[in-house]
Amino acid sequence: HVQLVEYGGGSGQAGGSLTLSCVASGSTDRKYCMAWFRQSPGGEREGVAAISPGGGSSIYTDPVQGRFTITRDNSKGTLYLRMDSLKPEDTAMYYCAADLAQDDTCLSMSPSKYNYWGQGTQVTVS
């Protein structure tokens, strides 16, 4: 099992930047697929970005493509989401998620593919 804790949420100005971190603890010696999701009040949880276990591949949802960057530092057990050119529609609770990797190429932004979740961190853009 792995435990996930997100950091770095808060308030930002439109056009500004925020960086979220997700620190993993527990069975971090295994390979994990990881991703960021977000959920607005009354909305469904949607995938934002996903990254392969080694960090060499990533995918993004169209609304954040070119503005957000997902990275990971496996030596620190940390996942990051750099958010640039923020927009009010980026306002949401952001969650990191992980699941054991079957190979080195797993990439998914489907919530059902992930078994481990953080508690979320709120991002508000005005």
Coordinates of all heavy atoms in Angstrom, one line a residue, residues 14-18 38 48 60-70 81-91 94 125:
A14 N -5.5 34.7 -12.1 CA -5.5 34.3 -13.5 C -4.3 34.8 -14.2 O -3.8 35.9 -14.1 CB -6.8 34.9 -14.2
G15 N -3.7 33.8 -14.9 CA -2.4 34.1 -15.6 C -1.2 33.8 -14.8 O -0.1 33.8 -15.3
G16 N -1.4 33.5 -13.5 CA -0.3 33.1 -12.7 C 0.0 31.6 -12.7 O -0.5 30.9 -13.5
S17 N 0.8 31.2 -11.7 CA 1.3 29.9 -11.6 C 1.2 29.3 -10.2 O 1.3 30.1 -9.2 CB 2.8 29.8 -12.1 OG 2.9 30.2 -13.4
L18 N 1.0 28.0 -10.1 CA 1.0 27.3 -8.9 C 1.7 25.9 -9.1 O 1.5 25.4 -10.2 CB -0.4 27.0 -8.3 CG -1.1 28.2 -7.6 CD1 -2.5 27.8 -7.3 CD2 -0.4 28.6 -6.4
R38 N -8.9 16.3 -10.9 CA -9.6 17.5 -10.3 C -11.1 17.3 -10.3 O -11.6 16.6 -11.1 CB -9.1 18.8 -10.9 CG -9.6 19.0 -12.4 CD -9.0 20.3 -12.9 NE -9.5 20.5 -14.3 CZ -9.0 21.5 -15.0 NH1 -8.1 22.4 -14.5 NH2 -9.4 21.7 -16.3
V48 N -6.5 15.1 -15.2 CA -5.8 16.3 -15.6 C -4.5 15.9 -16.4 O -4.2 16.4 -17.5 CB -5.4 17.2 -14.4 CG1 -4.5 18.3 -14.9 CG2 -6.7 17.7 -13.7
Y60 N -2.0 14.6 -21.1 CA -2.7 15.7 -20.5 C -4.1 15.8 -21.1 O -4.4 15.5 -22.3 CB -2.0 17.1 -20.8 CG -0.7 17.1 -20.2 CD1 0.4 16.7 -20.9 CD2 -0.4 17.6 -18.9 CE1 1.7 16.8 -20.4 CE2 0.8 17.7 -18.4 CZ 1.9 17.3 -19.1 OH 3.2 17.3 -18.6
T61 N -5.1 16.3 -20.3 CA -6.4 16.6 -20.9 C -6.3 17.8 -21.7 O -5.5 18.7 -21.4 CB -7.4 16.7 -19.7 OG1 -8.7 16.8 -20.3 CG2 -7.1 17.9 -18.9
D62 N -7.1 18.0 -22.7 CA -7.0 19.1 -23.7 C -7.0 20.5 -23.0 O -6.2 21.4 -23.4 CB -8.0 19.0 -24.7 CG -7.8 17.9 -25.7 OD1 -6.6 17.4 -25.8 OD2 -8.7 17.5 -26.5
P63 N -7.9 20.7 -22.0 CA -7.9 22.1 -21.4 C -6.7 22.5 -20.8 O -6.5 23.7 -20.5 CB -9.1 22.0 -20.4 CG -9.9 20.9 -21.0 CD -9.0 19.9 -21.5
V64 N -5.8 21.6 -20.4 CA -4.6 22.0 -19.7 C -3.3 21.8 -20.5 O -2.2 22.2 -20.1 CB -4.4 21.3 -18.3 CG1 -5.7 21.4 -17.5 CG2 -4.0 19.8 -18.5
Q65 N -3.5 21.2 -21.7 CA -2.3 20.9 -22.6 C -1.6 22.2 -22.9 O -2.2 23.2 -23.3 CB -2.8 20.3 -23.9 CG -1.7 20.0 -24.9 CD -1.0 18.7 -24.5 OE1 -1.6 17.7 -24.1 NE2 0.4 18.8 -24.5
G66 N -0.3 22.2 -22.7 CA 0.5 23.4 -22.9 C 0.6 24.4 -21.8 O 1.4 25.3 -21.8
R67 N -0.2 24.2 -20.7 CA -0.2 25.0 -19.6 C 0.3 24.3 -18.3 O 0.9 24.9 -17.4 CB -1.6 25.6 -19.3 CG -2.1 26.4 -20.4 CD -3.4 27.2 -20.0 NE -4.5 26.2 -19.6 CZ -5.1 26.2 -18.4 NH1 -4.6 27.0 -17.4 NH2 -6.0 25.4 -18.2
F68 N 0.0 23.0 -18.2 CA 0.3 22.3 -17.0 C 1.5 21.3 -17.4 O 1.5 20.8 -18.5 CB -0.9 21.5 -16.5 CG -1.9 22.3 -15.9 CD1 -2.0 23.7 -15.9 CD2 -3.0 21.7 -15.2 CE1 -3.0 24.4 -15.3 CE2 -4.0 22.4 -14.6 CZ -4.0 23.8 -14.6
T69 N 2.3 21.0 -16.4 CA 3.4 20.0 -16.6 C 3.4 19.0 -15.4 O 3.5 19.5 -14.3 CB 4.7 20.7 -16.7 OG1 4.7 21.7 -17.8 CG2 5.8 19.7 -17.0
I70 N 3.3 17.7 -15.7 CA 3.4 16.7 -14.7 C 4.8 16.1 -14.7 O 5.3 15.8 -15.7 CB 2.3 15.6 -14.9 CG1 2.3 14.6 -13.7 CG2 2.5 14.9 -16.2 CD1 1.2 13.6 -13.7
L81 N 2.8 18.8 -10.1 CA 2.0 19.4 -11.2 C 2.3 20.9 -11.2 O 1.8 21.6 -10.3 CB 0.5 19.1 -11.0 CG -0.4 19.6 -12.1 CD1 -0.1 18.8 -13.4 CD2 -1.9 19.6 -11.8
R82 N 3.0 21.3 -12.2 CA 3.3 22.7 -12.4 C 2.1 23.3 -13.2 O 1.8 22.8 -14.3 CB 4.6 22.9 -13.1 CG 4.8 24.3 -13.7 CD 5.3 25.3 -12.6 NE 5.5 26.6 -13.2 CZ 6.0 27.6 -12.5 NH1 6.4 27.4 -11.2 NH2 6.2 28.8 -13.0
M83 N 1.4 24.3 -12.7 CA 0.3 24.9 -13.4 C 0.6 26.3 -13.8 O 0.8 27.2 -12.9 CB -0.9 24.8 -12.5 CG -1.3 23.4 -12.1 SD -2.8 23.3 -11.1 CE -2.3 24.2 -9.6
D84 N 0.7 26.6 -15.1 CA 1.0 28.0 -15.6 C -0.2 28.5 -16.3 O -1.1 27.8 -16.7 CB 2.2 28.0 -16.5 CG 3.5 27.6 -15.8 OD1 3.7 28.1 -14.7 OD2 4.3 26.8 -16.4
S85 N -0.2 29.8 -16.5 CA -1.3 30.5 -17.2 C -2.7 30.1 -16.7 O -3.6 29.7 -17.4 CB -1.2 30.2 -18.7 OG 0.0 30.6 -19.3
L86 N -2.8 30.1 -15.4 CA -4.0 29.7 -14.7 C -5.2 30.4 -15.2 O -5.2 31.6 -15.5 CB -3.8 29.9 -13.2 CG -2.9 28.8 -12.5 CD1 -2.6 29.3 -11.1 CD2 -3.6 27.5 -12.4
K87 N -6.3 29.7 -15.2 CA -7.6 30.3 -15.6 C -8.6 30.0 -14.5 O -8.5 29.0 -13.7 CB -8.1 29.6 -16.9 CG -7.2 29.8 -18.1 CD -7.7 29.0 -19.3 CE -6.8 29.2 -20.5 NZ -7.3 28.4 -21.7
P88 N -9.7 30.9 -14.4 CA -10.7 30.6 -13.3 C -11.3 29.2 -13.4 O -11.6 28.6 -12.4 CB -11.7 31.7 -13.6 CG -10.9 32.8 -14.2 CD -9.9 32.1 -15.1
E89 N -11.4 28.7 -14.6 CA -12.0 27.4 -14.8 C -11.1 26.2 -14.3 O -11.5 25.1 -14.2 CB -12.4 27.1 -16.2 CG -11.3 27.4 -17.2 CD -11.4 28.8 -17.9 OE1 -11.7 29.7 -17.1 OE2 -11.3 28.8 -19.1
D90 N -9.8 26.6 -13.9 CA -9.0 25.6 -13.2 C -9.3 25.4 -11.7 O -8.7 24.5 -11.1 CB -7.5 26.0 -13.4 CG -7.0 26.0 -14.8 OD1 -7.4 25.1 -15.6 OD2 -6.2 26.9 -15.1
T91 N -10.2 26.3 -11.2 CA -10.6 26.2 -9.8 C -11.2 24.8 -9.6 O -12.2 24.4 -10.2 CB -11.6 27.3 -9.5 OG1 -10.9 28.5 -9.6 CG2 -12.1 27.1 -8.1
Y94 N -7.9 19.3 -6.3 CA -7.0 18.5 -7.0 C -6.5 17.3 -6.2 O -6.1 17.5 -5.0 CB -5.8 19.4 -7.5 CG -6.1 20.3 -8.6 CD1 -6.9 21.4 -8.5 CD2 -5.6 20.0 -9.9 CE1 -7.2 22.2 -9.5 CE2 -5.9 20.8 -11.0 CZ -6.7 21.9 -10.8 OH -7.0 22.7 -11.8
V125 N -8.7 30.0 -8.5 CA -8.1 31.0 -9.4 C -9.1 32.1 -9.6 O -10.3 31.8 -10.0 CB -7.7 30.3 -10.7 CG1 -7.1 31.4 -11.6 CG2 -6.8 29.2 -10.5

